[in-house]
Amino acid sequence: MPTYTTTLRLNDNIISVTPLPVSQFSTVRAYEYNSIGVAPNVLHSRDKLQTPDGTDLNANAIFFETRVNNNNNPPIFTQQVIDGAFTNNEVKVHEYQTFVTFSYPGIVELNKEERLSAGSTSEGNIYTTLQSPTQSEIKATVYEFIQTSNQVSDSDYTYDSSNGLWAPNNWASIKAEGNQDDNASSNVGFFDSQDFRGYRCIQPSGIYDTLRFLDDIRYNNRTALNSNTSDSTLTVTVVDQGPPNPIGKKFVLDIDISPAFIATDGTPYYKKTIIVSDTIPNQTDFLPYS
């Protein structure tokens, strides 16, 4: 049987105490106190308030701004309070799993082939193959904090051992340059450049490969250079590989900071929400979770 101190008794100003919903406070308890004549935070500074189960409220509990009802005499004071203390200027108040939409980047792959055609004509071809971008629902965990800062910190991007913030701002880019005569580098006979928005390239950035000393040189199955002297050269370069392969890694998918409440001393507090993916599953012919 819990033993209550005097501060929870009606004749010592506390009228009631009610737990706040676990749908908002699942990792730390929070309560709403009603008192008469004196605000709950003032009572707590004199003698620790108690929670409904009879345990003492944290000495450093975080009290929200007081609401006052002057229709009564003495007035009624209402205050919400988080039964926890700050660590590094924040306290985690809520955590739950959900599903979020994740975009898998498409894949660009470069391929090379050389052969002798009928009549012993030498041919070479460098071409791209594509796998389209895909969206899928993946598991993620939502973390909610109360903090004193209105800023995103660097550590937020790697929260819960994440690999960083998933927000690709570059995509695969490939160019092909050809010279009709390899001995005259300024004589460019072919040029093609393409950005693949929403795609990453399997090959790393840099020169992929070169076709030379061939009768017919093709890029993406179209003749780029045709030389009777077999001096033509085609070089294909991955200008930008694009974002990394996300599979097997976990990422921060979103960070949001918004005003939460004003404390009794006038200090503004903020709610920070960080969404962290589970390890990104492989793309398969079936659903990622079955």
Side-chain angles (χ1 to χ4, degrees):
M1 175 74 66
T3 301
Y4 293 90
T5 64
T6 56
T7 52
L8 198 61
R9 296 176 187 165
L10 179 61
N11 61 350
D12 283 320
N13 303 102
I14 293 295
I15 299 173
S16 65
V17 54
T18 305
L20 296 180
V22 293
S23 59
Q24 300 174 27
F25 300 93
S26 61
T27 59
V28 64
R29 296 315 314 270
Y31 306 96
E32 182 171 273
Y33 285 87
N34 289 284
S35 61
I36 187 168
V38 182
N41 68 301
V42 176
L43 293 172
H44 185 59
S45 66
R46 298 174 182 171
D47 186 8
K48 288 182 181 178
L49 295 179
Q50 287 188 320
T51 65
D53 65 3
T55 58
D56 287 345
L57 196 65
N58 190 296
N60 297 310
I62 305 157
F63 282 87
F64 295 22
E65 192 172 28
T66 311
R67 302 196 307 271
V68 183
N69 181 355
N70 283 315
N71 291 327
N72 288 354
N73 189 16
I76 302 296
F77 294 87
T78 300
Q79 266 186 306
Q80 294 182 343
V81 57
I82 297 174
D83 188 16
F86 283 110
T87 302
N88 297 324
N89 296 317
E90 67 180 24
V91 57
K92 184 169 68 174
V93 297
H94 199 24
E95 176 182 337
Y96 61 93
Q97 276 205 328
T98 187
F99 279 87
V100 297
T101 300
F102 183 81
S103 295
Y104 289 87
I107 296 174
V108 183
E109 183 176 8
L110 284 164
N111 306 270
K112 175 186 175 182
E113 61 182 12
E114 295 184 32
R115 65 180 181 177
L116 285 175
S117 65
S120 299
T121 300
S122 58
E123 298 176 349
N125 184 25
I126 294 179
Y127 59 96
T128 57
T129 56
L130 304 179
Q131 296 180 35
S132 297
T134 304
Q135 284 192 334
S136 179
E137 294 290 303
I138 64 168
K139 285 182 183 178
T141 302
V142 180
Y143 301 94
E144 295 180 356
F145 304 83
I146 296 297
Q147 64 179 35
T148 55
S149 172
N150 62 356
Q151 302 292 319
V152 175
S153 65
D154 290 343
S155 61
D156 293 336
Y157 301 124
T158 55
Y159 187 76
D160 193 26
S161 301
S162 300
N163 290 89
L165 178 68
W166 181 257
N169 60 359
N170 63 321
W171 302 109
S173 180
I174 297 172
K175 71 175 181 179
E177 295 177 288
N179 298 321
Q180 194 69 34
D181 182 353
D182 190 41
N183 295 318
S185 59
S186 62
N187 181 16
V188 178
F190 178 83
F191 182 83
D192 184 272
S193 178
Q194 187 172 2
D195 295 329
F196 297 85
R197 181 173 176 79
Y199 289 79
R200 64 181 181 87
C201 186
I202 289 180
Q203 285 82 14
S205 297
I207 294 176
Y208 165 67
D209 214 329
T210 298
L211 292 174
R212 64 190 311 172
F213 305 129
L214 298 168
D215 298 315
D216 188 17
I217 295 178
R218 299 180 181 181
Y219 180 64
N220 278 327
N221 303 309
R222 293 175 300 154
T223 296
L225 299 168
N226 194 318
S227 174
N228 295 326
T229 61
S230 300
D231 285 338
S232 299
T233 302
L234 178 74
T235 300
V236 176
T237 302
V238 178
V239 178
D240 197 326
Q241 189 179 18
N245 183 1
I247 294 173
K249 302 180 179 70
K250 59 191 299 185
F251 294 93
V252 169
L253 302 179
D254 190 45
I255 303 173
D256 179 75
I257 295 179
S258 59
F261 62 88
I262 304 294
T264 53
D265 62 358
T267 301
Y269 286 82
Y270 301 87
K271 178 182 177 181
K272 177 173 67 182
T273 302
I274 302 177
I275 301 177
V276 180
S277 73
D278 280 14
T279 299
I280 305 298
N282 286 313
Q283 293 173 269
T284 65
D285 292 335
F286 304 98
L287 297 176
Y289 307 98
S290 59

